[in-house]
Coordinates of all heavy atoms in Angstrom, one line a residue:
I191 N 26.6 -11.7 -18.3 CA 25.8 -10.8 -19.2 C 25.0 -11.8 -20.1 O 23.8 -11.6 -20.4 CB 26.9 -9.9 -20.1 CG1 27.4 -9.0 -19.0 CG2 25.9 -9.1 -20.9 CD1 26.4 -8.2 -18.0
A192 N 25.7 -13.0 -20.5 CA 24.9 -13.8 -21.4 C 23.8 -14.4 -20.5 O 22.6 -14.6 -21.1 CB 25.8 -15.0 -21.8
F193 N 23.9 -14.7 -19.2 CA 22.9 -15.1 -18.4 C 21.8 -14.0 -18.4 O 20.5 -14.4 -18.4 CB 23.3 -15.4 -17.0 CG 22.2 -15.5 -16.0 CD1 21.5 -16.7 -15.8 CD2 22.1 -14.5 -15.0 CE1 20.6 -16.8 -14.9 CE2 21.2 -14.7 -14.1 CZ 20.3 -15.9 -14.0
L194 N 22.0 -12.8 -18.2 CA 21.1 -11.8 -18.0 C 20.4 -11.6 -19.4 O 19.2 -11.1 -19.4 CB 21.8 -10.5 -17.6 CG 22.3 -10.6 -16.1 CD1 23.0 -9.3 -15.7 CD2 21.1 -10.7 -15.1
E195 N 21.1 -11.8 -20.5 CA 20.4 -11.7 -21.8 C 19.3 -12.7 -21.9 O 18.2 -12.4 -22.5 CB 21.4 -11.8 -23.0 CG 22.4 -10.6 -23.2 CD 23.4 -10.8 -24.2 OE1 23.8 -12.0 -24.2 OE2 23.9 -9.9 -24.8
Q196 N 19.6 -14.0 -21.5 CA 18.5 -15.0 -21.4 C 17.5 -14.5 -20.5 O 16.2 -14.8 -20.9 CB 19.2 -16.3 -20.9 CG 20.1 -16.8 -21.9 CD 20.7 -18.1 -21.4 OE1 20.8 -18.5 -20.2 NE2 21.2 -19.0 -22.3
E197 N 17.7 -14.0 -19.3 CA 16.6 -13.7 -18.4 C 15.8 -12.5 -19.1 O 14.5 -12.6 -18.8 CB 17.4 -13.0 -17.2 CG 17.9 -14.2 -16.3 CD 16.9 -15.1 -15.6 OE1 16.0 -14.5 -15.0 OE2 17.0 -16.3 -15.7
A198 N 16.3 -11.7 -19.8 CA 15.6 -10.5 -20.5 C 15.1 -10.9 -21.8 O 14.3 -10.0 -22.3 CB 16.5 -9.3 -20.6
G199 N 15.3 -12.1 -22.2 CA 14.7 -12.5 -23.6 C 15.4 -11.8 -24.7 O 14.8 -11.6 -25.7
L200 N 16.8 -11.5 -24.5 CA 17.5 -10.9 -25.7 C 18.4 -11.8 -26.3 O 18.9 -12.8 -25.7 CB 18.3 -9.7 -25.0 CG 17.6 -8.6 -24.4 CD1 18.5 -7.7 -23.5 CD2 16.8 -7.7 -25.3
P201 N 18.5 -11.6 -27.7 CA 19.6 -12.5 -28.4 C 21.0 -12.3 -27.8 O 21.3 -11.3 -27.2 CB 19.6 -11.8 -29.9 CG 18.4 -11.0 -29.9 CD 18.1 -10.5 -28.6
A202 N 21.7 -13.3 -27.9 CA 23.1 -13.4 -27.4 C 23.9 -12.4 -28.1 O 23.9 -12.1 -29.3 CB 23.8 -14.7 -27.7
G203 N 24.7 -11.7 -27.2 CA 25.6 -10.5 -27.8 C 25.0 -9.3 -28.1 O 25.5 -8.4 -28.4
E204 N 23.7 -9.1 -27.6 CA 22.9 -7.9 -27.8 C 23.3 -6.8 -26.9 O 23.2 -5.6 -27.1 CB 21.5 -8.1 -27.8 CG 20.6 -7.0 -28.2 CD 20.6 -6.6 -29.7 OE1 21.2 -7.5 -30.5 OE2 20.3 -5.5 -30.1
V205 N 23.8 -7.2 -25.7 CA 23.9 -6.1 -24.5 C 25.4 -5.7 -24.8 O 26.3 -6.5 -24.8 CB 23.8 -6.9 -23.2 CG1 24.2 -5.9 -22.1 CG2 22.3 -7.2 -23.0
T206 N 25.7 -4.4 -24.7 CA 27.0 -3.9 -24.9 C 27.4 -3.0 -23.6 O 28.3 -2.4 -23.6 CB 27.1 -2.9 -26.2 OG1 26.1 -2.1 -26.2 CG2 26.9 -3.9 -27.3
G207 N 26.4 -2.7 -22.8 CA 26.4 -1.8 -21.6 C 25.6 -2.2 -20.5 O 24.5 -2.8 -20.8
W208 N 26.0 -2.0 -19.2 CA 25.1 -2.4 -18.2 C 25.4 -1.5 -16.9 O 26.5 -1.1 -16.8 CB 25.2 -3.8 -17.8 CG 26.6 -4.3 -17.6 CD1 27.4 -4.3 -16.4 CD2 27.5 -4.9 -18.5 NE1 28.6 -4.6 -16.6 CE2 28.8 -5.1 -18.0 CE3 27.5 -5.2 -19.9 CZ2 29.8 -5.7 -18.5 CZ3 28.5 -5.7 -20.6 CH2 29.7 -6.0 -19.8
D209 N 24.2 -1.3 -16.2 CA 24.3 -0.7 -14.9 C 23.6 -1.6 -13.9 O 22.2 -1.5 -14.0 CB 23.7 0.8 -15.0 CG 24.3 1.6 -15.9 OD1 25.4 2.2 -15.6 OD2 23.8 1.9 -17.1
L210 N 24.2 -2.4 -13.2 CA 23.5 -3.5 -12.4 C 23.9 -3.4 -11.1 O 25.0 -3.0 -10.7 CB 24.0 -4.8 -13.0 CG 23.7 -5.2 -14.6 CD1 24.5 -6.4 -15.0 CD2 22.1 -5.4 -14.6
M211 N 23.0 -3.9 -10.1 CA 23.1 -3.9 -8.6 C 22.5 -5.0 -8.1 O 21.5 -5.5 -8.6 CB 22.7 -2.5 -8.1 CG 21.3 -2.3 -8.4 SD 21.0 -0.4 -8.6 CE 21.8 0.0 -10.1
T212 N 22.9 -5.3 -6.8 CA 22.4 -6.4 -6.1 C 21.2 -5.9 -5.3 O 21.1 -4.7 -5.1 CB 23.3 -7.0 -5.1 OG1 23.9 -6.0 -4.2 CG2 24.6 -7.6 -5.9
H213 N 20.2 -6.7 -4.9 CA 19.1 -6.4 -3.9 C 18.8 -7.6 -3.1 O 18.8 -8.8 -3.5 CB 18.0 -5.7 -4.7 CG 17.3 -6.8 -5.5 ND1 17.7 -7.0 -6.8 CD2 16.1 -7.6 -5.4 CE1 16.9 -7.8 -7.3 NE2 16.1 -8.3 -6.5
S214 N 18.4 -7.4 -1.8 CA 17.8 -8.4 -1.1 C 16.5 -8.8 -1.6 O 15.5 -7.9 -2.0 CB 17.6 -7.9 0.4 OG 16.9 -8.9 1.0
V215 N 16.2 -10.1 -1.8 CA 15.0 -10.6 -2.4 C 14.0 -10.9 -1.3 O 12.8 -11.3 -1.6 CB 15.2 -11.9 -3.2 CG1 16.2 -11.8 -4.4 CG2 15.8 -13.0 -2.2
E216 N 14.3 -10.6 0.0 CA 13.2 -10.7 1.1 C 12.3 -9.7 0.8 O 12.6 -8.4 0.7 CB 14.0 -10.6 2.6 CG 13.1 -10.9 3.7 CD 13.8 -10.8 5.0 OE1 15.0 -10.5 4.9 OE2 13.3 -10.9 6.0
A217 N 10.9 -9.9 1.0 CA 9.9 -9.1 0.6 C 9.7 -8.0 1.8 O 10.0 -8.4 3.0 CB 8.6 -9.8 0.4
P218 N 9.3 -6.9 1.6 CA 8.8 -6.0 2.7 C 7.8 -6.6 3.5 O 7.0 -7.4 2.9 CB 8.4 -4.6 1.9 CG 9.1 -4.8 0.6 CD 9.2 -6.1 0.3
A219 N 7.7 -6.3 4.8 CA 6.7 -6.9 5.6 C 6.3 -6.0 6.8 O 7.1 -5.2 7.3 CB 7.3 -8.3 6.1
Y220 N 5.1 -6.1 7.3 CA 4.8 -5.6 8.6 C 5.4 -6.4 9.7 O 5.7 -7.5 9.6 CB 3.2 -5.6 8.8 CG 2.6 -4.6 7.9 CD1 1.7 -4.9 6.8 CD2 2.6 -3.1 8.1 CE1 1.1 -4.1 6.1 CE2 2.0 -2.2 7.4 CZ 1.2 -2.7 6.3 OH 0.6 -1.7 5.5
L221 N 5.7 -5.7 10.8 CA 6.5 -6.3 12.0 C 5.9 -5.9 13.2 O 5.1 -4.9 13.4 CB 7.9 -5.7 11.8 CG 9.0 -6.4 12.6 CD1 9.3 -7.8 12.0 CD2 10.2 -5.5 12.8
G222 N 5.9 -6.9 14.2 CA 5.5 -6.6 15.5 C 4.2 -7.1 15.9 O 3.5 -7.8 15.0
R223 N 3.9 -7.2 17.2 CA 2.6 -7.7 17.7 C 1.3 -7.2 17.1 O 0.6 -7.9 16.6 CB 2.6 -7.5 19.2 CG 1.3 -8.1 19.9 CD 1.2 -7.6 21.4 NE 0.8 -6.2 21.3 CZ 0.7 -5.6 22.3 NH1 0.9 -6.1 23.5 NH2 0.4 -4.2 22.3
D224 N 1.4 -5.9 16.9 CA 0.3 -5.1 16.3 C 0.5 -4.6 14.8 O -0.1 -3.9 14.4 CB -0.1 -4.0 17.2 CG -0.6 -4.4 18.6 OD1 -1.1 -5.4 18.8 OD2 -0.1 -3.7 19.5
R225 N 1.6 -5.2 14.3 CA 1.9 -4.8 12.8 C 2.0 -3.3 12.7 O 1.6 -2.8 11.8 CB 0.8 -5.4 11.8 CG 0.8 -6.9 11.8 CD -0.5 -7.3 11.1 NE -0.7 -6.8 9.9 CZ -0.3 -7.3 8.7 NH1 0.4 -8.3 8.6 NH2 -0.6 -6.6 7.6
E226 N 2.6 -2.6 13.7 CA 2.8 -1.3 13.7 C 4.2 -0.8 13.2 O 4.4 0.4 13.1 CB 2.5 -0.7 15.2 CG 3.5 -1.2 16.2 CD 3.0 -0.8 17.5 OE1 2.3 0.2 17.6 OE2 3.5 -1.4 18.5
L227 N 5.0 -1.8 12.8 CA 6.2 -1.5 12.0 C 6.4 -2.0 10.8 O 5.6 -3.1 10.4 CB 7.4 -2.0 12.9 CG 7.6 -1.6 14.4 CD1 8.5 -2.5 15.1 CD2 7.8 -0.2 14.5
M228 N 7.2 -1.5 9.9 CA 7.4 -1.9 8.5 C 8.8 -2.0 8.2 O 9.6 -1.2 8.6 CB 6.7 -1.0 7.5 CG 6.7 -1.7 6.1 SD 6.5 -0.5 4.7 CE 8.1 0.1 4.5
A229 N 9.2 -3.3 7.8 CA 10.7 -3.6 7.5 C 10.7 -3.7 6.0 O 9.9 -4.4 5.3 CB 11.1 -4.8 8.2
G230 N 11.8 -3.2 5.4 CA 11.8 -3.3 4.0 C 13.2 -2.7 3.5 O 13.8 -2.0 4.1
P231 N 13.5 -3.0 2.1 CA 14.8 -2.4 1.6 C 14.4 -1.1 0.9 O 13.4 -0.7 0.7 CB 15.1 -3.3 0.5 CG 13.7 -3.8 0.0 CD 12.9 -3.8 1.3
R232 N 15.6 -0.2 0.8 CA 15.6 1.1 0.1 C 14.6 2.1 0.5 O 14.2 2.8 -0.3 CB 15.3 0.7 -1.5 CG 16.4 -0.2 -2.0 CD 16.2 -0.6 -3.4 NE 15.0 -1.5 -3.6 CZ 14.9 -2.7 -3.3 NH1 15.9 -3.3 -3.0 NH2 13.8 -3.5 -3.6
M233 N 14.1 2.0 1.7 CA 13.3 3.1 2.2 C 14.0 4.4 2.1 O 13.4 5.5 2.0 CB 13.1 2.9 3.7 CG 12.0 1.8 4.1 SD 11.6 1.7 5.7 CE 11.0 0.0 5.8
D234 N 15.3 4.4 2.3 CA 16.1 5.6 2.0 C 16.6 5.4 0.5 O 17.6 4.8 0.2 CB 17.4 5.6 2.8 CG 18.5 6.7 2.7 OD1 18.0 7.7 1.9 OD2 19.4 6.6 3.3
N235 N 15.9 6.2 -0.4 CA 14.8 7.1 -0.2 C 13.6 6.7 -1.0 O 12.9 7.8 -1.3 CB 15.4 8.4 -0.4 CG 14.4 9.5 0.1 OD1 13.7 9.4 0.9 ND2 14.5 10.4 -0.6
L236 N 13.3 5.5 -1.3 CA 12.2 5.3 -2.2 C 10.9 5.5 -1.3 O 9.8 5.7 -2.0 CB 12.2 3.9 -2.7 CG 13.3 3.6 -3.7 CD1 13.0 2.2 -4.3 CD2 13.3 4.6 -4.8
L237 N 10.9 5.6 -0.1 CA 9.7 5.9 0.8 C 9.2 7.2 0.4 O 8.1 7.5 0.2 CB 10.1 5.9 2.2 CG 9.0 6.0 3.2 CD1 9.3 5.4 4.5 CD2 8.6 7.4 3.5

Side-chain angles (χ1 to χ4, degrees):
I191 300 306
F193 164 76
L194 293 174
E195 286 174 333
Q196 291 180 338
E197 288 289 315
L200 295 168
E204 186 67 18
V205 173
T206 57
W208 52 88
D209 302 279
L210 300 166
M211 59 208 71
T212 59
H213 67 276
S214 171
V215 298
E216 185 180 2
Y220 289 109
L221 190 74
R223 183 192 65 183
D224 300 318
R225 293 163 54 88
E226 58 190 341
L227 302 171
M228 190 196 86
R232 299 177 293 281
M233 290 186 196
D234 179 14
N235 185 33
L236 294 188
L237 188 158

